[in-house]
Amino acid sequence: IDYTGTEPSSPCNKCLNVSWDSTTPCTCTINFTLEHSFESNVFMYYGLSNFYQNHRRYVKSRDDSQLNGDNSSLLNPSKECEPYRINEDKPIAPCGAIANSMFNDTLELYRIDNDTRIPITLIKKGIAWWTDKNVKFRNPTGDGNNLTALFQGTTKPVNWPKPVYMLDSEPDNNGFINEDFIVWMRTAALPTFRKLYRLIERKNNLQPTLQAGKYSLDIAYNYPVHSFDGRKRMILSTISWMGGKNPFLGIAYITVGSICFFLGVVLLIIHHKYGNRNTSADIPN
């Protein structure tokens, strides 16, 4: 579901020129229909296009020691974070361009049954890699578990509406260990990518996770992409016993195999035509 809003008829067109420092959130709703039911667990992604997370300076613009909870790096971030290292004479936490550009749209899904909107439960935990959540990203340490006190002396990233210790109300999903933040910090290799946003778990075996029918997507439109001709979309996907549907590997294998076969045929012809030539340097009598 593309909700960029570039088309004048799109419900999100009114939010197209939203800016990072907008004080009033812009909301829009897109209705859509699922032609087929989703039987197993459903994965909800957000997708971005024309966003180059693979840019060399962008990828380097972070401080892994700070993200790992090192107290000295918290107050003295790496110079790799410039120009998002210090703001108003305070160190930025988390510093760097990756964190500064974190995706912050809010998506809510509803099923429409007889003109009644039934909310779909979206699970926000379990979307990040276990090693990221438990090893690479840690909150600062100190007396007590009060994140407000632990992050004292730092300031929020320039484009963020609130500081890192207010990302979530649950302590095990707040600060540097917030899973939305962790997912964003794992940079994508291509300019068109998707990142896991929420999980929709199957409740029982008698009914599908998402029934075929009408749905609506409520969007708090905060993330500006129109300035760089980007696009935003929401993706619903599921997996079977064979895994997810991803044609990339199949296309890559067929392409590489075809190239190898073609080169093999060319080299066979060259060997057959020129391989038996007399290479002796002796001059016949």
Side-chain angles (χ1 to χ4, degrees):
I1 305 298
D2 190 304
Y3 68 93
T4 310
T6 52
E7 300 79 10
S9 59
S10 172
C12 294
N13 181 259
K14 61 182 180 180
C15 305
L16 188 61
N17 294 317
V18 68
S19 60
W20 290 105
D21 55 356
S22 296
T23 54
T24 55
C26 185
T27 58
C28 56
T29 300
I30 292 183
N31 298 317
F32 64 96
T33 302
L34 285 183
E35 301 294 339
H36 305 283
S37 298
F38 283 58
E39 299 294 338
S40 59
N41 293 338
V42 178
F43 301 88
M44 185 178 187
Y45 299 85
Y46 61 86
L48 294 176
S49 298
N50 203 33
F51 192 108
Y52 288 82
Q53 271 200 316
N54 55 4
H55 190 283
R56 182 181 61 86
R57 292 187 62 190
Y58 181 90
V59 172
K60 292 175 61 179
S61 186
R62 60 188 294 163
D63 188 343
D64 288 320
S65 296
Q66 185 191 59
L67 297 173
N68 194 241
D70 183 71
N71 289 6
S72 61
S73 297
L74 180 68
L75 299 177
N76 186 26
S78 169
K79 293 183 179 179
E80 296 285 358
C81 289
E82 294 288 358
Y84 303 105
R85 178 174 176 265
I86 293 176
N87 185 35
E88 297 178 350
D89 295 329
K90 289 185 178 181
I92 296 176
C95 72
I98 307 176
N100 188 65
S101 59
M102 178 181 167
F103 182 84
N104 64 343
D105 281 358
T106 301
L107 308 176
E108 296 178 350
L109 189 63
Y110 296 86
R111 182 169 66 89
I112 302 176
D113 187 10
N114 295 326
D115 295 330
T116 302
R117 289 177 18 121
I118 303 172
I120 304 296
T121 302
L122 304 178
I123 300 174
K124 60 186 176 182
K125 294 183 180 179
I127 61 175
W129 290 21
W130 185 92
T131 50
D132 286 351
K133 175 77 173 180
N134 296 279
V135 179
K136 291 183 64 177
F137 291 80
R138 310 301 303 163
N139 280 324
T141 56
D143 296 334
N145 296 319
N146 189 346
L147 288 184
T148 305
L150 293 176
F151 282 98
Q152 188 175 7
T154 66
T155 186
K156 66 178 182 64
V158 178
N159 289 340
W160 285 26
K162 53 189 177 182
V164 67
Y165 51 82
M166 295 179 63
L167 289 179
D168 200 293
S169 58
E170 300 182 28
D172 61 342
N173 193 43
N174 200 8
F176 290 157
I177 59 173
N178 177 265
E179 296 203 27
D180 285 325
F181 172 67
I182 294 173
V183 168
W184 177 258
M185 292 299 292
R186 182 167 285 277
T187 53
L190 300 174
T192 297
F193 59 87
R194 66 174 66 176
K195 290 180 183 285
L196 187 57
Y197 180 70
R198 293 292 182 265
L199 303 174
I200 307 174
E201 290 186 346
R202 187 172 187 177
K203 296 181 179 179
N204 57 64
N205 296 325
L206 300 178
Q207 294 182 349
T209 309
L210 292 180
Q211 302 176 14
K214 295 181 179 180
Y215 289 82
S216 66
L217 178 68
D218 283 7
I219 304 146
Y221 199 112
N222 302 310
Y223 201 73
V225 296
H226 184 56
S227 59
F228 55 87
D229 295 327
R231 299 196 71 86
K232 299 190 292 186
R233 62 197 186 281
M234 184 277 293
I235 303 116
L236 295 175
S237 178
T238 187
I239 58 174
S240 65
W241 65 272
M242 294 183 64
K245 181 181 178 182
N246 186 352
F248 174 77
L249 283 179
I251 295 173
Y253 287 149
I254 292 174
T255 302
V256 174
S258 301
I259 293 173
C260 292
F261 178 78
F262 174 76
L263 291 177
V265 172
V266 172
L267 292 175
L268 180 64
I269 295 174
I270 293 175
H271 175 73
H272 180 75
K273 188 173 182 179
Y274 301 105
N276 295 325
R277 294 180 64 184
N278 187 0
T279 59
S280 175
D282 297 336
I283 300 176
N285 296 327

